[in-house]
Amino acid sequence: MVLQAKDIRKSFGDNDILRGISLEVERGELISIIGPSGCGKSTFLRCLNFLEHPDAGDVRIEDVGLTSPRHWHRRDEAQAHRLRAHVGMVFQSFNLFPHRSVLENVMMAPVHVKKMDHEAARRIACELLKKVGLAAVKDRYPDRLSGGQKQRAAIARALAMRPSVMLYDEPTSALDPELSEEVLSVMRALDEEGMTQLVVTHDMRFARAASDRVLYLEEGKIVESGDPDVMFANPREARTRRFLRTLLS
Ligand SMILES: Nc1ncnc2c1ncn2[C@@H]1O[C@H](COP(=O)(O)OP(=O)(O)O)[C@@H](O)[C@H]1O
Ligand SMILES: [Mg+2]
């Protein structure tokens, strides 16, 4: 098992957003997380790497465990830092550095965080950019890229830190269908290489065709999880069925 989350809880004020989510992820799995807007999907992803501090719960990724502390101390922050080192995160809005070329965007974390030497970082970045199909535009600035290219650059940048797990928060929601496809095909290729990936997505076709497992979230809980073909063809829970039906109508 590469990732384990136990009973993750999170409230904002009086709103209980995550009401106890537990999840175990095997290495190489591709898991799609679906559910209505506002049900806590983004918050859950952010809690997995402590970008958001859960109010309660444990997260373990590889050999790094962290229990959400009642009071946050410097040693907890250090542990969160170790946890995040195993995680690559990709957002809907790309979040590339605008004043850096694509290549520099990908090299930046290895050079500044890992203190990798420039040449080594450059070699790795070039390899990754080739893998995501961006070798030809590596010297461009982000504003000269299409949305699909920006998102693939963001994936390469996350991969440059050699994460064990990739988390994607609606990676294709801002993209036209054909540009989405470029991004999804990179994710499929990573899956074939054995990368572990968790994807919050509204793309039900991708969720069904590419995932090993689908989680359906509603009101901060996992309502149903399982094999995508089973869940989409014949959901167990009435709430899942209702959600899938509203998407189709
Ligand atoms: N930092 C925050 N402060 C207050 N409320 C928040 C914050 N982040 C998220 N929320 C609320 O938590 C709920 C779940 O949000 P989110 O996890 O983004 O849902 P989803 O990604 O499933 O659409 C929403 O009602 C949202 O308004
Ligand atoms: Mg969200």
Side-chain angles (χ1 to χ4, degrees):
M1 198 186 326
V2 58
L3 180 153
Q4 180 172 39
K6 268 197 221 155
D7 202 24
I8 303 295
R9 294 172 184 272
K10 178 73 182 175
S11 303
F12 293 110
D14 292 338
N15 295 329
D16 298 335
I17 301 303
L18 301 180
R19 302 166 182 235
I21 297 192
S22 298
L23 177 64
E24 296 185 347
V25 182
E26 298 296 337
R27 201 175 298 281
E29 271 195 291
L30 196 168
I31 297 181
S32 291
I33 302 175
I34 63 172
S37 177
C39 72
K41 302 180 297 295
S42 297
T43 304
F44 176 59
L45 276 198
R46 293 165 58 79
C47 281
L48 289 178
N49 60 2
F50 280 72
L51 280 181
E52 199 79 72
H53 295 179
D55 298 328
D58 309 308
V59 177
R60 172 169 291 278
I61 301 176
E62 300 286 11
D63 55 341
V64 184
L66 186 51
T67 297
S68 192
R70 188 177 290 266
H71 302 289
W72 195 256
H73 290 291
R74 186 171 300 174
R75 64 168 183 278
D76 300 312
E77 193 52 48
Q79 191 70 352
H81 194 79
R82 279 191 282 276
L83 190 79
R84 287 181 203 124
H86 290 304
V87 181
M89 188 139 186
V90 172
F91 303 90
Q92 178 179 339
S93 52
F94 323 124
N95 296 0
L96 296 169
F97 298 105
H99 304 296
R100 305 283 182 154
S101 71
V102 170
L103 181 66
E104 288 166 340
N105 263 279
V106 178
M107 288 173 63
M108 201 176 288
V111 168
H112 293 286
V113 181
K114 281 198 174 164
K115 310 295 175 201
M116 191 181 284
D117 81 75
H118 222 255
E119 252 335 287
R122 189 188 172 82
R123 213 163 38 238
I124 290 172
C126 286
E127 240 170 67
L128 288 171
L129 286 168
K130 196 161 128 198
K131 186 199 294 242
V132 301
L134 295 179
V137 297
K138 68 180 179 3
D139 295 318
R140 286 198 196 163
Y141 285 84
D143 66 354
R144 300 273 330 281
L145 301 181
S146 72
Q149 289 174 322
K150 283 183 202 170
Q151 196 58 297
R152 285 181 285 142
I155 291 172
R157 185 178 60 175
L159 292 172
M161 292 298 277
R162 300 281 182 235
S164 299
V165 179
M166 288 285 285
L167 306 179
Y168 304 84
D169 195 351
E170 300 196 24
T172 59
S173 291
L175 304 177
D176 292 337
E178 72 275 19
L179 300 183
S180 295
E181 193 42 47
E182 297 173 355
V183 172
L184 297 174
S185 75
V186 166
M187 293 164 66
R188 279 189 214 98
L190 290 172
D191 184 47
E192 272 169 27
E193 288 176 13
M195 178 57 78
T196 309
Q197 303 179 92
L198 270 63
V199 190
V200 170
T201 185
H202 292 299
D203 186 332
M204 297 300 139
R205 239 172 30 143
F206 176 77
R208 182 165 187 170
S211 324
D212 299 300
R213 187 155 40 124
V214 177
L215 308 182
Y216 174 60
L217 256 67
E218 201 178 287
E219 295 181 346
K221 283 194 154 172
I222 297 176
V223 170
E224 181 166 354
S225 75
D227 180 89
D229 279 324
V230 174
M231 201 193 289
F232 284 101
N234 196 9
R236 228 179 325 112
E237 298 291 330
R239 286 182 290 171
T240 315
R241 205 168 307 134
R242 201 179 316 123
F243 173 74
L244 293 173
R245 205 162 42 213
T246 54
L247 287 185
L248 293 173
S249 62

